[in-house]
Amino acid sequence: MTQSNSLANFASQKLRALERRKLRRHVTETRPLSAVDVVRNDKRLTSFSSNDYLGLTHHPDVIKAAVEATHKYGTGAGASRLVTGNHPLFSELERKLAKLKGTDDAVVMGSGYLTNIGVIPVLMGPQDIIFSDELCHACILSGNRLSGAAEHLYRHNNLDDLRDQLAAKRDKHRHALIVTDGVFSMDGDLAPIAELIKLADEFDAWLMTDDAHGIGVLGGGHGSSFSGGDCLNVPLQMGTLSKAIGSYGGYLCASQPVVDLIRTRCRSFIYSTGLSPSAAAAAIAALDLICADPELSALPIKKARLFTSALNLPDAQSPIVPIILHDTERTMAAAKFLESEGYLVVPIRPPTVPVGTSRLRIAFSAAHKDADVKRLAELVQSVLDPSDERQ
Ligand SMILES: *Cc1c(COP(=O)(O)O)cnc(C)c1O
């Protein structure tokens, strides 16, 4: 058998097995018309599946900044930032991120995924131990595994379980890191950051938060460590520029020595091309808009709460509201029904979420119209049945 035949056989077999378990995935061409309107299969839909929480991907100032940067510096960075790819927009972007997060400095790289898989192995190694929430994002787990450190997953937001695990295991290791999402991407709930800081202090561990869904929308736009009103001192705050910031890229905000170490040792920073000038400039313009208008960052949660109150659910804590339907086929059918009614709500199923918790993940944007939010709530109500536990 030729190599390509043998590979094709291998891939086809794997795909068939996934298909049998209803886990095969497809990408569907979806043409954006605005921050929330898209065309899919020739049908115009209002999307509740984008993480563009502030609608900044289509904001005229953000677009203008991206276009001007492209004219000035070209379309690509051309090389790693350590070689020749460090165009002048990076330092401005990093200064603005550090200011928003209240840290000494920030470092920006290719994506949130690349940030987690790059940063964690710089800080942690085989003598160390990492404690992560069982629902944290896949790229945190990838970073943990690349570091070679021991890894323990604690029960979701369960401080007692984390405390027990720290007490049992911390002492056997040199350094300990606690890593959690600030806002959980598939559940929309928040990590108990103040309590996690206390536990980290008590057990001589470091705390890292992934604020992919917090920056721009919580705490006046500053993110999840500001959501209680105070600025909580989280020493490692990473996130993405690709959600509320409306651009592309990942960042870590931290103290000066940590950021300098990342610039020196982080493989996904060193061996990967810098962000394009347009992405950096768009992010700068977005951060300016967020800082100038705290009301804007409050809007996605307002829309989410309009939705949760219409459905008699507990108040949304973030712009993400899950409607857990448990069964994968039922979830797929519900999403199809919503699509037939003009709303794009992508179904989320294992392995992205635990088995038996397939769900509609609804993400609210400042750009959504209240009328659409209310209509979506009615439609979602119609797919729920009395056996769905109150969530
Ligand atoms: C989206 C996401 C990431 C990855 O960010 P990208 O910039 O899209 O690679 C990391 N962590 C969490 C919690 C996310 O939701």
Side-chain angles (χ1 to χ4, degrees):
M1 211 188 319
T2 64
Q3 282 187 46
S4 51
N5 282 343
S6 132
L7 266 170
N9 283 349
F10 162 78
S12 307
Q13 253 172 28
K14 282 220 131 181
L15 285 170
R16 274 197 298 275
L18 289 164
E19 228 151 52
R20 275 197 297 276
R21 295 163 57 207
K22 304 249 181 306
L23 293 178
R24 178 159 183 177
R25 297 171 185 237
H26 298 275
V27 287
T28 309
E29 193 167 294
T30 309
R31 185 161 53 86
L33 299 174
S34 73
V36 292
D37 296 311
V38 301
V39 174
R40 195 181 243 214
N41 301 325
D42 294 325
K43 188 171 158 86
R44 189 186 172 115
L45 302 168
T46 299
S47 172
F48 282 87
S49 287
S50 164
N51 300 314
D52 181 11
Y53 299 119
L54 302 175
L56 294 182
T57 57
H58 285 70
H59 192 290
D61 293 2
V62 178
I63 292 174
K64 182 163 171 269
V67 170
E68 281 178 1
T70 304
H71 281 301
K72 204 160 162 191
Y73 301 113
T75 52
S80 164
R81 291 179 53 191
L82 289 169
V83 183
T84 52
N86 203 43
H87 55 74
L89 296 167
F90 283 113
S91 52
E92 187 183 351
L93 175 55
E94 290 173 341
R95 242 191 345 267
K96 291 200 157 138
L97 281 166
K99 185 153 177 257
L100 186 71
K101 294 285 183 179
T103 57
D104 290 352
D105 202 358
V107 52
V108 166
M109 63 191 91
S111 72
Y113 196 106
L114 287 171
T115 305
N116 274 331
I117 65 167
V119 164
I120 296 172
V122 175
L123 303 173
M124 304 305 280
Q127 297 161 275
D128 305 322
I129 183 161
I130 306 174
F131 298 87
S132 296
D133 189 288
E134 64 183 347
L135 296 187
C136 73
H137 195 265
C139 61
I140 294 177
L141 301 181
S142 302
N144 292 354
R145 280 153 208 181
L146 277 176
S147 76
E151 184 193 44
H152 285 282
L153 300 184
Y154 58 90
R155 290 207 300 280
H156 177 51
N157 275 348
N158 188 321
L159 294 164
D160 293 332
D161 187 36
L162 175 57
R163 167 181 289 281
D164 290 348
Q165 297 211 24
L166 282 162
K169 296 173 180 132
R170 163 69 185 97
D171 280 354
K172 302 186 183 70
H173 299 271
R174 182 184 57 176
H175 295 135
L177 179 71
I178 302 171
V179 198
T180 179
D181 290 17
V183 177
F184 287 86
S185 56
M186 296 297 139
D187 292 80
D189 55 344
L190 310 185
I193 292 177
E195 290 79 7
L196 289 171
I197 292 174
K198 281 194 206 126
L199 270 184
D201 282 341
E202 189 180 331
F203 286 92
D204 183 27
W206 300 320
L207 179 62
M208 174 165 171
T209 53
D210 177 333
D211 212 24
H213 300 277
I215 188 170
V217 289
L218 287 177
H222 296 274
S224 53
S225 28
F226 295 75
S227 62
D230 305 323
C231 164
L232 297 173
N233 194 2
V234 177
L236 299 162
Q237 302 178 56
M238 68 73 60
T240 177
L241 304 173
S242 63
K243 290 170 182 165
I245 310 297
S247 179
Y248 188 74
Y251 67 83
L252 175 77
C253 291
S255 65
Q256 197 63 60
V258 169
V259 169
D260 290 345
L261 181 67
I262 297 303
R263 290 199 184 107
T264 305
R265 297 292 292 172
C266 175
R267 295 174 65 85
S268 49
F269 176 84
I270 301 170
Y271 300 112
S272 188
T273 302
L275 284 187
S276 70
S278 60
I284 291 169
L287 289 170
D288 286 345
L289 288 164
I290 290 166
C291 292
D293 184 4
E295 310 253 305
L296 174 67
S297 49
L299 277 175
I301 294 182
K302 269 196 194 143
K303 308 272 177 191
R305 289 193 172 153
L306 183 63
F307 178 81
T308 48
S309 82
L311 281 172
N312 265 328
L313 297 173
D315 272 351
Q317 293 175 272
S318 75
I320 303 163
V321 178
I323 300 290
I324 299 176
L325 299 176
H326 306 282
D327 179 67
T328 299
E329 272 179 78
R330 193 172 153 225
T331 310
M332 309 291 277
K336 215 167 178 182
F337 164 70
L338 295 175
E339 188 168 330
S340 72
E341 295 287 326
Y343 294 101
L344 181 61
V345 176
V346 170
I348 309 282
R349 54 188 162 160
T352 306
V353 292
V355 172
T357 71
S358 289
R359 66 196 64 189
L360 300 171
R361 173 193 181 271
I362 306 181
F364 293 90
S365 165
H368 283 131
K369 291 193 199 84
D370 286 356
D372 280 317
V373 173
K374 289 182 192 155
R375 178 73 187 130
L376 182 68
E378 285 168 13
L379 294 167
V380 167
Q381 182 72 61
S382 76
V383 305
L384 294 175
D385 66 39
S387 70
D388 292 315
E389 64 192 80
R390 280 278 156 240
Q391 298 159 37

